[in-house]
Short mmCIF file of all heavy atoms in Angstrom, two decimals:
data_model
loop_
_atom_site.label_atom_id
_atom_site.label_comp_id
_atom_site.label_asym_id
_atom_site.label_seq_id
_atom_site.Cartn_x
_atom_site.Cartn_y
_atom_site.Cartn_z
N MET T 1 126.11 148.86 158.04
CA MET T 1 125.90 150.16 157.32
C MET T 1 125.78 149.92 155.86
O MET T 1 126.45 149.13 155.22
CB MET T 1 127.11 151.11 157.49
CG MET T 1 127.17 151.79 158.90
SD MET T 1 125.79 152.95 159.20
CE MET T 1 126.25 154.33 158.19
N THR T 2 124.82 150.65 155.25
CA THR T 2 124.65 150.57 153.80
C THR T 2 125.55 151.67 153.15
O THR T 2 125.93 152.63 153.86
CB THR T 2 123.18 150.84 153.37
OG1 THR T 2 122.79 152.10 153.95
CG2 THR T 2 122.27 149.75 153.85
N ASP T 3 125.91 151.46 151.94
CA ASP T 3 126.86 152.42 151.29
C ASP T 3 126.12 153.47 150.36
O ASP T 3 126.80 154.18 149.70
CB ASP T 3 127.97 151.72 150.58
CG ASP T 3 127.48 150.81 149.45
OD1 ASP T 3 126.27 150.80 149.27
OD2 ASP T 3 128.29 150.14 148.85
N HIS T 4 124.79 153.37 150.37
CA HIS T 4 124.13 154.40 149.54
C HIS T 4 123.63 155.53 150.42
O HIS T 4 123.13 155.28 151.54
CB HIS T 4 122.97 153.81 148.68
CG HIS T 4 121.90 153.14 149.47
ND1 HIS T 4 121.88 151.82 149.71
CD2 HIS T 4 120.81 153.67 150.08
CE1 HIS T 4 120.82 151.54 150.46
NE2 HIS T 4 120.14 152.62 150.64
N ASN T 5 123.83 156.74 149.95
CA ASN T 5 123.45 157.94 150.72
C ASN T 5 122.00 158.24 150.58
O ASN T 5 121.34 157.85 149.61
CB ASN T 5 124.27 159.08 150.30
CG ASN T 5 125.77 158.96 150.66
OD1 ASN T 5 126.07 158.54 151.81
ND2 ASN T 5 126.67 159.22 149.75
N THR T 6 121.51 159.01 151.49
CA THR T 6 120.16 159.60 151.40
C THR T 6 120.26 161.01 151.04
O THR T 6 121.05 161.76 151.62
CB THR T 6 119.43 159.40 152.79
OG1 THR T 6 119.48 158.06 153.16
CG2 THR T 6 117.96 159.86 152.71
N TYR T 7 119.44 161.47 150.08
CA TYR T 7 119.53 162.81 149.62
C TYR T 7 118.28 163.67 149.93
O TYR T 7 117.18 163.11 149.99
CB TYR T 7 119.71 162.82 148.10
CG TYR T 7 120.94 162.10 147.64
CD1 TYR T 7 121.01 160.75 147.37
CD2 TYR T 7 122.19 162.85 147.53
CE1 TYR T 7 122.11 160.15 146.98
CE2 TYR T 7 123.32 162.23 147.19
CZ TYR T 7 123.36 160.86 146.92
OH TYR T 7 124.47 160.25 146.53
N CYS T 8 118.46 164.92 150.12
CA CYS T 8 117.40 165.86 150.23
C CYS T 8 116.52 165.82 148.94
O CYS T 8 117.05 165.86 147.84
CB CYS T 8 117.94 167.30 150.46
SG CYS T 8 116.66 168.58 150.36
N THR T 9 115.17 165.75 149.10
CA THR T 9 114.41 165.62 147.92
C THR T 9 114.28 166.94 147.14
O THR T 9 113.95 166.91 145.98
CB THR T 9 112.94 165.21 148.29
OG1 THR T 9 112.43 166.14 149.30
CG2 THR T 9 112.83 163.86 148.86
N LYS T 10 114.66 168.04 147.78
CA LYS T 10 114.62 169.34 147.08
C LYS T 10 115.89 169.68 146.42
O LYS T 10 115.97 169.94 145.22
CB LYS T 10 114.19 170.44 147.98
CG LYS T 10 112.70 170.64 148.06
CD LYS T 10 112.40 172.00 148.67
CE LYS T 10 110.92 172.16 148.74
NZ LYS T 10 110.47 173.25 149.61
N CYS T 11 116.99 169.68 147.20
CA CYS T 11 118.29 170.26 146.63
C CYS T 11 119.29 169.13 146.37
O CYS T 11 120.39 169.42 145.89
CB CYS T 11 118.85 171.27 147.61
SG CYS T 11 119.43 170.63 149.13
N LYS T 12 118.95 167.90 146.71
CA LYS T 12 119.80 166.70 146.40
C LYS T 12 121.07 166.63 147.17
O LYS T 12 122.00 165.95 146.79
CB LYS T 12 120.10 166.59 144.89
CG LYS T 12 118.91 166.73 144.02
CD LYS T 12 117.79 165.66 144.29
CE LYS T 12 116.59 165.83 143.44
NZ LYS T 12 115.49 165.07 143.91
N LYS T 13 121.17 167.43 148.24
CA LYS T 13 122.34 167.41 149.10
C LYS T 13 122.31 166.02 149.84
O LYS T 13 121.24 165.56 150.13
CB LYS T 13 122.21 168.54 150.15
CG LYS T 13 123.42 168.66 151.07
CD LYS T 13 123.20 169.85 151.97
CE LYS T 13 122.59 169.51 153.33
NZ LYS T 13 123.55 168.86 154.24
N VAL T 14 123.49 165.49 150.14
CA VAL T 14 123.58 164.29 150.99
C VAL T 14 123.18 164.70 152.42
O VAL T 14 123.67 165.66 152.96
CB VAL T 14 125.00 163.71 150.97
CG1 VAL T 14 125.08 162.51 151.90
CG2 VAL T 14 125.34 163.29 149.54
N LEU T 15 122.32 163.86 153.00
CA LEU T 15 121.80 164.20 154.33
C LEU T 15 122.63 163.53 155.40
O LEU T 15 123.07 162.40 155.28
CB LEU T 15 120.37 163.75 154.40
CG LEU T 15 119.35 164.38 153.51
CD1 LEU T 15 118.00 163.71 153.65
CD2 LEU T 15 119.22 165.86 153.75
N ILE T 16 122.77 164.28 156.51
CA ILE T 16 123.43 163.66 157.73
C ILE T 16 122.27 163.04 158.56
O ILE T 16 121.11 163.34 158.36
CB ILE T 16 124.21 164.66 158.50
CG1 ILE T 16 123.31 165.82 159.01
CG2 ILE T 16 125.38 165.15 157.67
CD1 ILE T 16 123.97 166.72 160.00
N ARG T 17 122.70 162.22 159.52
CA ARG T 17 121.69 161.49 160.28
C ARG T 17 120.73 162.44 161.05
O ARG T 17 119.49 162.17 161.21
CB ARG T 17 122.42 160.56 161.29
CG ARG T 17 121.49 159.52 161.85
CD ARG T 17 122.01 159.02 163.14
NE ARG T 17 123.34 158.52 163.02
CZ ARG T 17 123.81 157.39 163.60
NH1 ARG T 17 122.99 156.69 164.24
NH2 ARG T 17 125.09 157.09 163.46
N ASP T 18 121.30 163.51 161.59
CA ASP T 18 120.46 164.48 162.35
C ASP T 18 119.38 165.01 161.50
O ASP T 18 118.25 165.29 161.91
CB ASP T 18 121.31 165.69 162.81
CG ASP T 18 122.11 165.28 164.04
OD1 ASP T 18 122.01 164.21 164.51
OD2 ASP T 18 122.97 166.16 164.50
N GLU T 19 119.63 165.28 160.20
CA GLU T 19 118.68 165.88 159.28
C GLU T 19 117.47 164.88 159.07
O GLU T 19 116.38 165.30 158.96
CB GLU T 19 119.29 166.31 157.95
CG GLU T 19 120.21 167.52 158.17
CD GLU T 19 121.04 167.84 156.92
OE1 GLU T 19 121.50 166.92 156.19
OE2 GLU T 19 121.18 169.04 156.58
N ILE T 20 117.86 163.63 158.91
CA ILE T 20 116.83 162.65 158.72
C ILE T 20 115.97 162.52 159.99
O ILE T 20 114.76 162.48 159.99
CB ILE T 20 117.45 161.25 158.39
CG1 ILE T 20 118.10 161.33 157.01
CG2 ILE T 20 116.39 160.20 158.39
CD1 ILE T 20 118.99 160.17 156.60
N ALA T 21 116.69 162.55 161.17
CA ALA T 21 116.02 162.34 162.42
C ALA T 21 115.04 163.53 162.75
O ALA T 21 113.92 163.32 163.21
CB ALA T 21 117.01 162.18 163.57
N ILE T 22 115.47 164.76 162.43
CA ILE T 22 114.61 165.91 162.76
C ILE T 22 113.39 165.92 161.80
O ILE T 22 112.32 166.27 162.20
CB ILE T 22 115.42 167.23 162.72
CG1 ILE T 22 114.55 168.34 163.39
CG2 ILE T 22 115.77 167.68 161.36
CD1 ILE T 22 114.40 168.21 164.89
N TYR T 23 113.64 165.49 160.59
CA TYR T 23 112.47 165.36 159.64
C TYR T 23 111.44 164.40 160.12
O TYR T 23 110.28 164.70 160.12
CB TYR T 23 112.99 164.95 158.27
CG TYR T 23 111.99 165.10 157.18
CD1 TYR T 23 111.82 166.30 156.49
CD2 TYR T 23 111.12 164.04 156.86
CE1 TYR T 23 110.78 166.43 155.60
CE2 TYR T 23 110.11 164.19 155.86
CZ TYR T 23 109.99 165.40 155.24
OH TYR T 23 108.97 165.52 154.29
N LEU T 24 111.94 163.22 160.59
CA LEU T 24 111.05 162.24 161.11
C LEU T 24 110.27 162.77 162.33
O LEU T 24 109.10 162.49 162.46
CB LEU T 24 111.82 160.98 161.55
CG LEU T 24 112.45 160.15 160.40
CD1 LEU T 24 113.32 159.11 160.97
CD2 LEU T 24 111.31 159.48 159.57
N ARG T 25 110.96 163.59 163.16
CA ARG T 25 110.38 164.05 164.38
C ARG T 25 109.35 165.15 164.09
O ARG T 25 108.34 165.21 164.71
CB ARG T 25 111.56 164.55 165.27
CG ARG T 25 111.16 164.88 166.69
CD ARG T 25 110.89 163.57 167.44
NE ARG T 25 110.67 163.70 168.86
CZ ARG T 25 109.73 164.43 169.49
NH1 ARG T 25 108.99 165.17 168.83
NH2 ARG T 25 109.63 164.44 170.77
N LEU T 26 109.72 166.06 163.18
CA LEU T 26 108.86 167.25 162.98
C LEU T 26 107.85 167.09 161.86
O LEU T 26 106.80 167.72 161.88
CB LEU T 26 109.75 168.44 162.66
CG LEU T 26 110.74 168.97 163.71
CD1 LEU T 26 111.47 170.15 163.15
CD2 LEU T 26 110.01 169.29 164.97
N VAL T 27 108.12 166.29 160.86
CA VAL T 27 107.24 166.22 159.65
C VAL T 27 106.44 164.89 159.67
O VAL T 27 105.20 164.94 159.70
CB VAL T 27 108.02 166.42 158.42
CG1 VAL T 27 107.09 166.42 157.21
CG2 VAL T 27 108.85 167.72 158.49
N ASN T 28 107.13 163.82 159.61
CA ASN T 28 106.46 162.56 159.35
C ASN T 28 107.28 161.36 159.87
O ASN T 28 108.34 161.12 159.32
CB ASN T 28 106.16 162.46 157.86
CG ASN T 28 105.47 161.13 157.48
OD1 ASN T 28 105.15 160.28 158.38
ND2 ASN T 28 105.20 160.96 156.25
N ARG T 29 106.76 160.74 160.86
CA ARG T 29 107.50 159.62 161.49
C ARG T 29 107.79 158.46 160.50
O ARG T 29 108.63 157.67 160.70
CB ARG T 29 106.60 158.99 162.57
CG ARG T 29 106.85 159.53 163.93
CD ARG T 29 108.12 159.12 164.53
NE ARG T 29 108.24 159.91 165.73
CZ ARG T 29 108.78 159.55 166.89
NH1 ARG T 29 109.35 158.41 166.95
NH2 ARG T 29 108.79 160.38 167.92
N ASN T 30 106.91 158.38 159.51
CA ASN T 30 107.00 157.28 158.53
C ASN T 30 107.62 157.70 157.18
O ASN T 30 107.52 156.95 156.20
CB ASN T 30 105.68 156.66 158.29
CG ASN T 30 105.11 156.14 159.61
OD1 ASN T 30 105.71 155.43 160.36
ND2 ASN T 30 103.83 156.52 159.83
N ALA T 31 108.31 158.85 157.19
CA ALA T 31 108.85 159.37 155.87
C ALA T 31 109.88 158.42 155.33
O ALA T 31 110.64 157.84 156.05
CB ALA T 31 109.41 160.75 156.15
N LYS T 32 109.86 158.41 153.99
CA LYS T 32 110.98 157.69 153.28
C LYS T 32 111.80 158.63 152.54
O LYS T 32 112.88 158.22 152.01
CB LYS T 32 110.34 156.66 152.31
CG LYS T 32 109.51 155.53 152.99
CD LYS T 32 110.41 154.46 153.63
CE LYS T 32 109.60 153.28 154.06
NZ LYS T 32 108.72 153.59 155.22
N GLU T 33 111.35 159.89 152.39
CA GLU T 33 112.09 160.93 151.75
C GLU T 33 112.20 162.09 152.72
O GLU T 33 111.28 162.30 153.48
CB GLU T 33 111.33 161.40 150.46
CG GLU T 33 111.22 160.30 149.43
CD GLU T 33 110.44 160.83 148.22
OE1 GLU T 33 109.41 161.55 148.41
OE2 GLU T 33 110.89 160.53 147.07
N TYR T 34 113.31 162.81 152.60
CA TYR T 34 113.64 163.78 153.66
C TYR T 34 114.09 165.07 153.07
O TYR T 34 114.55 165.16 151.90
CB TYR T 34 114.71 163.26 154.62
CG TYR T 34 114.45 161.82 154.97
CD1 TYR T 34 115.08 160.80 154.27
CD2 TYR T 34 113.62 161.52 156.06
CE1 TYR T 34 114.84 159.48 154.63
CE2 TYR T 34 113.43 160.20 156.42
CZ TYR T 34 114.05 159.15 155.69
OH TYR T 34 113.80 157.87 156.07
N LEU T 35 114.17 166.15 153.92
CA LEU T 35 114.67 167.41 153.54
C LEU T 35 115.91 167.71 154.37
O LEU T 35 115.96 167.32 155.52
CB LEU T 35 113.72 168.56 153.70
CG LEU T 35 112.46 168.49 152.83
CD1 LEU T 35 111.47 169.63 153.25
CD2 LEU T 35 112.74 168.62 151.37
N CYS T 36 116.91 168.46 153.79
CA CYS T 36 118.04 168.89 154.63
C CYS T 36 117.55 170.04 155.49
O CYS T 36 116.46 170.56 155.31
CB CYS T 36 119.18 169.34 153.70
SG CYS T 36 118.75 170.78 152.71
N ILE T 37 118.43 170.49 156.35
CA ILE T 37 118.00 171.51 157.35
C ILE T 37 117.64 172.83 156.61
O ILE T 37 116.66 173.44 156.96
CB ILE T 37 119.09 171.69 158.44
CG1 ILE T 37 119.07 170.50 159.39
CG2 ILE T 37 118.86 173.07 159.21
CD1 ILE T 37 120.14 170.43 160.40
N PRO T 38 118.47 173.34 155.67
CA PRO T 38 118.03 174.58 154.99
C PRO T 38 116.68 174.52 154.27
O PRO T 38 115.87 175.38 154.38
CB PRO T 38 119.18 174.85 153.93
CG PRO T 38 120.33 174.12 154.55
CD PRO T 38 119.81 172.94 155.28
N CYS T 39 116.40 173.35 153.61
CA CYS T 39 115.15 173.14 153.00
C CYS T 39 114.02 172.98 154.01
O CYS T 39 112.88 173.51 153.75
CB CYS T 39 115.19 171.95 152.03
SG CYS T 39 116.23 172.20 150.62
N LEU T 40 114.29 172.35 155.10
CA LEU T 40 113.29 172.19 156.13
C LEU T 40 112.97 173.51 156.79
O LEU T 40 111.78 173.77 157.05
CB LEU T 40 113.81 171.22 157.19
CG LEU T 40 112.79 170.61 158.21
CD1 LEU T 40 111.73 169.92 157.58
CD2 LEU T 40 113.56 169.75 159.23
N ALA T 41 113.96 174.37 157.01
CA ALA T 41 113.70 175.66 157.53
C ALA T 41 112.80 176.51 156.63
O ALA T 41 111.88 177.18 157.03
CB ALA T 41 115.07 176.40 157.68
N LYS T 42 112.99 176.41 155.30
CA LYS T 42 112.09 177.05 154.32
C LYS T 42 110.73 176.52 154.41
O LYS T 42 109.78 177.19 154.36
CB LYS T 42 112.70 176.92 152.91
CG LYS T 42 113.70 178.00 152.53
CD LYS T 42 114.14 177.77 151.13
CE LYS T 42 115.63 178.24 150.96
NZ LYS T 42 116.35 177.50 150.00
N HIS T 43 110.62 175.21 154.48
CA HIS T 43 109.31 174.53 154.62
C HIS T 43 108.53 174.99 155.77
O HIS T 43 107.28 175.28 155.67
CB HIS T 43 109.57 172.99 154.73
CG HIS T 43 108.34 172.18 154.96
ND1 HIS T 43 107.54 171.84 153.93
CD2 HIS T 43 107.83 171.60 156.09
CE1 HIS T 43 106.49 171.09 154.39
NE2 HIS T 43 106.67 170.94 155.65
N PHE T 44 109.22 175.23 156.92
CA PHE T 44 108.52 175.73 158.16
C PHE T 44 108.57 177.25 158.24
O PHE T 44 108.09 177.81 159.18
CB PHE T 44 109.21 175.09 159.38
CG PHE T 44 108.75 173.70 159.61
CD1 PHE T 44 109.73 172.68 159.64
CD2 PHE T 44 107.47 173.35 159.86
CE1 PHE T 44 109.42 171.34 159.89
CE2 PHE T 44 107.05 172.03 160.11
CZ PHE T 44 108.09 171.04 160.09
N LYS T 45 109.19 177.89 157.27
CA LYS T 45 109.32 179.35 157.29
C LYS T 45 109.99 179.85 158.63
O LYS T 45 109.58 180.76 159.27
CB LYS T 45 107.96 180.05 157.06
CG LYS T 45 107.38 179.76 155.70
CD LYS T 45 106.02 180.50 155.58
CE LYS T 45 105.46 180.41 154.16
NZ LYS T 45 105.49 179.09 153.52
N CYS T 46 111.05 179.10 158.97
CA CYS T 46 111.79 179.49 160.21
C CYS T 46 113.28 179.56 159.79
O CYS T 46 113.61 179.29 158.66
CB CYS T 46 111.51 178.52 161.35
SG CYS T 46 112.19 176.92 161.03
N SER T 47 114.16 179.83 160.76
CA SER T 47 115.53 179.88 160.46
C SER T 47 116.22 178.55 160.66
O SER T 47 115.70 177.67 161.35
CB SER T 47 116.26 180.95 161.34
OG SER T 47 116.29 180.47 162.62
N GLU T 48 117.34 178.35 159.96
CA GLU T 48 118.09 177.08 160.15
C GLU T 48 118.46 176.91 161.62
O GLU T 48 118.58 175.81 162.12
CB GLU T 48 119.38 177.12 159.27
CG GLU T 48 119.00 177.00 157.83
CD GLU T 48 120.22 177.09 156.96
OE1 GLU T 48 121.33 176.59 157.37
OE2 GLU T 48 120.17 177.68 155.87
N GLN T 49 118.77 178.01 162.21
CA GLN T 49 119.21 177.98 163.62
C GLN T 49 118.08 177.39 164.55
O GLN T 49 118.34 176.68 165.50
CB GLN T 49 119.58 179.36 164.16
CG GLN T 49 120.55 179.25 165.33
CD GLN T 49 120.78 180.64 165.97
OE1 GLN T 49 120.46 181.65 165.43
NE2 GLN T 49 121.33 180.57 167.19
N ASP T 50 116.82 177.80 164.24
CA ASP T 50 115.64 177.25 164.93
C ASP T 50 115.68 175.69 164.86
O ASP T 50 115.43 175.04 165.92
CB ASP T 50 114.31 177.72 164.43
CG ASP T 50 114.11 179.17 164.68
OD1 ASP T 50 114.70 179.77 165.58
OD2 ASP T 50 113.31 179.82 163.85
N ILE T 51 115.95 175.23 163.74
CA ILE T 51 116.03 173.73 163.54
C ILE T 51 117.16 173.15 164.35
O ILE T 51 117.00 172.19 165.05
CB ILE T 51 116.20 173.33 162.06
CG1 ILE T 51 115.15 174.04 161.21
CG2 ILE T 51 116.18 171.83 161.89
CD1 ILE T 51 113.85 173.35 160.96
N GLN T 52 118.34 173.81 164.29
CA GLN T 52 119.51 173.31 165.03
C GLN T 52 119.22 173.25 166.54
O GLN T 52 119.57 172.35 167.18
CB GLN T 52 120.74 174.26 164.77
CG GLN T 52 121.16 174.30 163.38
CD GLN T 52 121.96 173.07 162.87
OE1 GLN T 52 122.06 172.08 163.64
NE2 GLN T 52 122.43 173.13 161.69
N VAL T 53 118.54 174.31 167.05
CA VAL T 53 118.22 174.40 168.43
C VAL T 53 117.25 173.19 168.84
O VAL T 53 117.42 172.55 169.85
CB VAL T 53 117.54 175.71 168.78
CG1 VAL T 53 116.88 175.68 170.19
CG2 VAL T 53 118.57 176.84 168.70
N ARG T 54 116.33 172.93 167.96
CA ARG T 54 115.36 171.81 168.23
C ARG T 54 116.07 170.48 168.26
O ARG T 54 115.79 169.61 169.08
CB ARG T 54 114.26 171.76 167.23
CG ARG T 54 113.38 173.03 167.27
CD ARG T 54 112.20 172.89 166.43
NE ARG T 54 111.17 172.08 167.01
CZ ARG T 54 109.89 172.28 166.84
NH1 ARG T 54 109.44 173.25 166.00
NH2 ARG T 54 108.99 171.55 167.42
N ILE T 55 117.04 170.29 167.30
CA ILE T 55 117.86 169.06 167.31
C ILE T 55 118.60 168.94 168.60
O ILE T 55 118.59 167.90 169.20
CB ILE T 55 118.81 169.10 166.11
CG1 ILE T 55 118.04 168.86 164.75
CG2 ILE T 55 119.80 167.96 166.24
CD1 ILE T 55 118.88 169.11 163.54
N LYS T 56 119.21 170.02 168.99
CA LYS T 56 120.00 170.04 170.28
C LYS T 56 119.14 169.65 171.47
O LYS T 56 119.48 168.80 172.29
CB LYS T 56 120.65 171.39 170.43
CG LYS T 56 121.72 171.50 171.53
CD LYS T 56 122.50 172.71 171.41
CE LYS T 56 123.45 172.91 172.61
NZ LYS T 56 122.70 173.42 173.77
N ARG T 57 117.94 170.29 171.54
CA ARG T 57 117.06 169.98 172.62
C ARG T 57 116.59 168.48 172.65
O ARG T 57 116.53 167.89 173.69
CB ARG T 57 115.76 170.89 172.55
CG ARG T 57 116.07 172.29 172.90
CD ARG T 57 114.91 172.92 173.69
NE ARG T 57 115.11 174.39 173.78
CZ ARG T 57 114.45 175.23 172.97
NH1 ARG T 57 113.56 174.77 172.11
NH2 ARG T 57 114.75 176.51 173.06
N LEU T 58 116.24 168.01 171.51
CA LEU T 58 115.80 166.63 171.40
C LEU T 58 116.89 165.68 171.81
O LEU T 58 116.63 164.66 172.45
CB LEU T 58 115.26 166.36 170.00
CG LEU T 58 113.92 166.98 169.63
CD1 LEU T 58 113.69 166.98 168.15
CD2 LEU T 58 112.80 166.29 170.31
N LYS T 59 118.11 165.98 171.40
CA LYS T 59 119.25 165.16 171.81
C LYS T 59 119.43 165.17 173.33
O LYS T 59 119.65 164.14 173.90
CB LYS T 59 120.54 165.67 171.17
CG LYS T 59 120.70 165.19 169.73
CD LYS T 59 122.05 165.69 169.17
CE LYS T 59 122.24 165.13 167.78
NZ LYS T 59 123.47 165.72 167.18
N GLU T 60 119.27 166.36 173.93
CA GLU T 60 119.41 166.51 175.33
C GLU T 60 118.33 165.73 176.08
O GLU T 60 118.49 165.17 177.16
CB GLU T 60 119.38 167.97 175.74
CG GLU T 60 120.67 168.72 175.45
CD GLU T 60 120.56 170.21 175.49
OE1 GLU T 60 119.46 170.75 175.72
OE2 GLU T 60 121.55 170.89 175.25
N MET T 61 117.12 165.65 175.40
CA MET T 61 116.01 164.92 176.02
C MET T 61 116.16 163.39 175.87
O MET T 61 115.41 162.62 176.39
CB MET T 61 114.66 165.32 175.37
CG MET T 61 114.15 166.66 175.86
SD MET T 61 112.89 167.30 174.69
CE MET T 61 111.78 165.90 174.60
N GLY T 62 117.19 163.03 175.02
CA GLY T 62 117.43 161.65 174.78
C GLY T 62 116.48 160.98 173.79
O GLY T 62 116.21 159.83 173.85
N CYS T 63 116.00 161.82 172.84
CA CYS T 63 115.10 161.31 171.83
C CYS T 63 115.83 160.17 171.04
O CYS T 63 116.96 160.32 170.60
CB CYS T 63 114.74 162.39 170.85
SG CYS T 63 113.74 161.86 169.44
N THR T 64 115.12 159.05 170.97
CA THR T 64 115.78 157.84 170.38
C THR T 64 116.03 158.01 168.88
O THR T 64 116.89 157.26 168.33
CB THR T 64 114.80 156.59 170.60
OG1 THR T 64 113.57 156.88 170.07
CG2 THR T 64 114.73 156.26 172.07
N LEU T 65 115.34 158.92 168.17
CA LEU T 65 115.66 159.10 166.81
C LEU T 65 117.06 159.55 166.51
O LEU T 65 117.60 159.41 165.44
CB LEU T 65 114.64 160.09 166.14
CG LEU T 65 113.20 159.64 165.99
CD1 LEU T 65 112.34 160.75 165.59
CD2 LEU T 65 113.14 158.56 164.92
N PHE T 66 117.65 160.22 167.51
CA PHE T 66 118.95 160.83 167.39
C PHE T 66 120.10 159.94 167.91
O PHE T 66 121.21 160.38 167.95
CB PHE T 66 119.03 162.20 168.03
CG PHE T 66 118.11 163.22 167.36
CD1 PHE T 66 116.84 163.36 167.73
CD2 PHE T 66 118.60 163.95 166.32
CE1 PHE T 66 115.96 164.27 167.08
CE2 PHE T 66 117.83 164.88 165.67
CZ PHE T 66 116.54 165.04 166.04
N SER T 67 119.74 158.78 168.39
CA SER T 67 120.80 157.92 169.06
C SER T 67 121.58 157.12 168.02
O SER T 67 121.07 157.01 166.88
CB SER T 67 120.17 157.04 170.04
OG SER T 67 119.27 156.13 169.38
ZN1 ZN W 101 117.75 170.47 150.72
#
């Protein structure tokens, strides 16, 4: 594990692994910069809950980005 955190490019919040994974899945597989869930929800003009549901579904499907 590295000890430097990854931050949301918009609000500078420290990102959790799920937030990075969903960004890779929904926006850009090769991204090096990411958004947190609230900023991602604004980006897609959807609710944060929509994003949470998608994360949950992808985990249930066994998406490797979330492992
Ligand atoms: Zn953010």
Side-chain angles (χ1 to χ4, degrees):
M1 284 294 285
T2 55
D3 61 3
H4 60 266
N5 290 315
T6 304
Y7 297 91
C8 172
T9 55
K10 272 198 178 164
C11 68
K12 312 301 178 196
K13 183 177 97 74
V14 176
L15 298 174
I16 59 169
R17 196 205 304 224
D18 283 358
E19 291 174 319
I20 295 170
I22 196 67
Y23 190 89
L24 292 170
R25 193 70 173 56
L26 296 181
V27 183
N28 179 1
R29 270 288 170 146
N30 302 310
K32 297 282 190 291
E33 296 180 318
Y34 317 94
L35 295 175
C36 65
I37 287 171
C39 293
L40 193 59
K42 273 181 211 149
H43 177 78
F44 282 118
K45 297 180 171 47
C46 68
S47 70
E48 288 176 37
Q49 203 190 346
D50 291 336
I51 308 270
Q52 299 284 5
V53 167
R54 296 188 79 149
I55 290 172
K56 190 162 172 286
R57 288 219 191 99
L58 288 164
K59 279 183 175 172
E60 284 166 358
M61 283 164 52
C63 175
T64 54
L65 287 171
F66 293 90
S67 61

